[in-house]
Amino acid sequence: AQRVTQPEKLLSVFKGAPVELKCNYSYSGSPELFWYVQYSRQRLQLLLRHISRESIKGFTADLNKGETSFHLKKPFAQEEDSAMYYCALSPTGFQKLVFGTGTRLLVSP
Amino acid sequence: DTGVSQDPRHKITKRGQNVTFRCDPISEHNRLYWYRQTLGQGPEFLTYFQNEAQLEKSRLLSDRFSAERPKGSFSTLEIQRTEQGDSAMYLCASSPRQAAYEQYFGPGTRLTVT
């Protein structure tokens, strides 16, 4: 079975604090892992892809195959990071995305 | 190019009626996906097209649901005999041949079945 678990519905931090949004997955093969983000009144958009190993808007995510996790991290949160974040996996072939339930990040001044 | 577009943006219908939604992908994107999102959940995959061929359908897609992409460009999703449980946001996404991993989402069609 393919499943993505995001245990936190809401994460509230102050500006400048570190952020970690948790994501665990289950999949028998080697999936591609992604983080998608939806800012207020905007469309869902790709933030990070595990294979690229990039830092986007200060966010990074490391795939831990042993723990089947793909947590999203940022050392210093900004107010503009407030959004809904979805972790997603794609089985081999990019035929679909399997999303978690999402975590709402609120960054307060 | 303004991205993926969906029409209508909102639809209110009575139980038992049929509804049809349209998605226009980014031009030259060969892959097109439909997802459904209910309150508090992430998007759930419904079906996927590569060009005009429908290659995968979720078990969520009951026989009341049908999707087409007749010329490999726009797509339609029809729901027959709507039920209250069909109330959701219906999202369309497309991805390009050279970067199939990146899906570009439309704004969605919000369906309310009364």
Side-chain angles (χ1 to χ4, degrees):
Chain A
Q2 304 152 2
R3 178 174 288 183
V4 175
T5 302
Q6 294 180 253
E8 303 138 328
K9 284 194 180 297
L10 172 66
L11 186 62
S12 186
V13 301
F14 288 106
K15 177 182 171 182
V19 167
E20 182 179 49
L21 286 80
K22 292 185 168 33
C23 172
N24 288 88
Y25 68 91
S26 64
Y27 179 62
S28 55
S30 294
E32 281 261 10
L33 273 296
F34 305 87
W35 278 98
Y36 275 75
V37 61
Q38 188 166 24
Y39 300 102
S40 180
R41 299 192 188 88
Q42 294 188 27
R43 303 168 183 211
L44 198 56
Q45 59 185 285
L46 177 65
L47 178 64
L48 279 182
R49 178 190 179 204
H50 91 266
I51 248 180
S52 63
R53 304 182 70 82
E54 293 175 304
S55 172
I56 306 291
K57 300 184 179 184
F59 284 97
T60 58
D62 289 321
L63 180 61
N64 185 323
K65 291 185 178 180
E67 296 182 358
T68 59
S69 68
F70 188 55
H71 304 326
L72 183 68
K73 300 177 185 180
K74 185 169 183 176
F76 307 104
Q78 303 300 314
E79 289 179 68
E80 55 266 30
D81 296 328
S82 295
M84 196 73 182
Y85 290 81
Y86 293 96
C87 182
L89 74 78
S90 181
T92 307
F94 307 117
Q95 292 178 3
K96 65 182 178 186
L97 289 169
V98 177
F99 286 89
T101 50
T103 298
R104 181 169 298 283
L105 175 63
L106 283 176
V107 183
S108 305
Chain B
D1 194 332
T2 56
V4 177
S5 61
Q6 293 187 242
D7 184 69
R9 295 290 305 276
H10 303 274
K11 178 72 177 178
I12 300 173
T13 192
K14 292 186 177 179
R15 190 175 53 190
Q17 297 295 303
N18 298 345
V19 294
T20 300
F21 310 141
R22 177 180 169 123
C23 170
D24 286 87
I26 294 171
S27 54
E28 298 183 2
H29 278 195
N30 66 326
R31 296 187 182 204
L32 187 147
Y33 311 80
W34 285 98
Y35 293 85
R36 181 173 68 186
Q37 186 173 22
T38 53
L39 199 61
Q41 301 297 314
E44 294 175 290
F45 170 78
L46 292 178
T47 190
Y48 147 70
F49 291 85
Q50 182 164 307
N51 300 312
E52 65 275 9
Q54 188 174 19
L55 296 185
E56 187 174 351
K57 288 168 57 172
S58 163
R59 278 170 284 183
L60 290 175
L61 216 63
S62 76
D63 56 7
R64 295 186 298 106
F65 287 70
S66 62
E68 294 183 341
R69 194 182 182 198
K71 297 182 180 179
S73 56
F74 74 91
S75 176
T76 58
L77 177 68
E78 182 184 16
I79 309 174
Q80 296 183 326
R81 305 180 304 280
T82 52
E83 301 173 357
Q84 286 189 317
D86 297 332
S87 295
M89 177 75 86
Y90 289 83
L91 296 168
C92 177
S94 67
S95 63
R97 189 187 314 272
Q98 67 273 25
Y101 61 86
E102 182 163 2
Q103 295 188 19
Y104 293 79
F105 282 81
T109 294
R110 182 168 294 285
L111 173 66
T112 302
V113 182
T114 62

